[in-house]
Amino acid sequence: MSDATDPWLIVGLGNPGPDYAANRHNVGFMVADLLATRIGGKFKRAQKAQAQVVEGRMGPPGPASRRVILVKPMSYMNLSGGPVTALRDFYKVPTAHVVAVHDELDVDYGMLRLKLGGGDNGHNGLKSMTKAMGPDYHRVRFGIGRPPGRMQVADFVLKDFSSTERKELAFLVDRAADSVECLLAEGLERAQSAYNS
């Protein structure tokens, strides 16, 4: 069981290295970077896992403030579960307080869907996390839409956002970060009604 004093593990999913930085598949890293800026932290290499972490507090000062550990796994997407589970155990975070922020093919570009639990929908990062710790964690699904024409899914997610998409990207990443803060402060139902589209 979790309670209000338990910390939260916010996991931005992506691939490490400059070649992947602007890919659609790395939007989780983008949201994590923005959240780190908001709490005034810088990512550092984790001692206990192949990941970068920032620790801090999110939300208004006082009892509504939440202790958070922001995580960017450095293991590549399909091995994300190992570092995430190691950090969940190290920080004693209940699985229900783990939030994965990730790209989602079956949601239109820029739309958000927040949920608790469910399948992985073919997403290798979620597949790895679910295999390592079960499905009962929160997801912030950032829509990237489906590939055009006959483009393979793997090619599409590992391409940078298009110039048209980039015009809105900063705003959309900002909104996704807002949804994470709302989830922690006000709970899933409130965050869903405010941000699910």
Side-chain angles (χ1 to χ4, degrees), residues 22 85 94 100-101 144 152 161 168 195:
T85 305
V101 184
I144 61 168
Q152 294 296 311
F161 286 99
E168 288 186 288
Y195 292 97

Side-chain angles (χ1 to χ4, degrees), residues 36-82:
T37 302
R38 288 185 182 184
I39 66 172
K42 281 200 179 348
F43 277 99
K44 297 195 243 342
R45 198 162 60 81
Q47 297 299 312
K48 302 292 175 187
Q50 193 178 355
Q52 292 183 353
V53 296
V54 177
E55 294 181 59
R57 297 198 80 81
M58 199 174 277
S65 170
R66 300 283 181 257
R67 182 173 169 233
V68 296
I69 302 98
L70 301 173
V71 179
K72 294 195 298 186
M74 293 285 119
S75 56
Y76 290 96
M77 184 70 86
N78 60 345
L79 299 172
S80 301

Side-chain angles (χ1 to χ4, degrees), residues 61-138:
S65 170
R66 300 283 181 257
R67 182 173 169 233
V68 296
I69 302 98
L70 301 173
V71 179
K72 294 195 298 186
M74 293 285 119
S75 56
Y76 290 96
M77 184 70 86
N78 60 345
L79 299 172
S80 301
V84 173
T85 305
L87 291 167
R88 178 201 63 173
D89 295 347
F90 176 71
Y91 288 105
K92 300 180 171 54
V93 178
T95 300
H97 276 206
V98 176
V99 182
V101 184
H102 63 93
D103 58 304
E104 178 59 61
L105 287 160
D106 285 339
V107 176
D108 288 341
Y109 175 66
M111 302 285 127
L112 293 174
R113 295 269 198 295
L114 284 78
K115 67 175 192 169
L116 175 62
D120 57 56
N121 205 19
H123 192 287
N124 287 331
L126 297 182
K127 197 175 291 184
S128 179
M129 284 180 61
T130 298
K131 186 176 176 189
M133 64 183 182
D136 300 325
Y137 53 92
H138 287 86

Side-chain angles (χ1 to χ4, degrees), residues 147-183:
R150 294 170 180 255
M151 187 188 289
Q152 294 296 311
V153 165
D155 295 334
F156 179 68
V157 299
L158 293 176
K159 280 204 179 334
D160 292 357
F161 286 99
S162 70
S163 55
T164 307
E165 289 169 335
R166 283 199 298 273
K167 288 177 184 160
E168 288 186 288
L169 186 59
F171 166 76
L172 297 170
V173 167
D174 195 66
R175 191 166 180 271
D178 290 347
S179 78
V180 173
E181 293 200 32
C182 182
L183 170 64

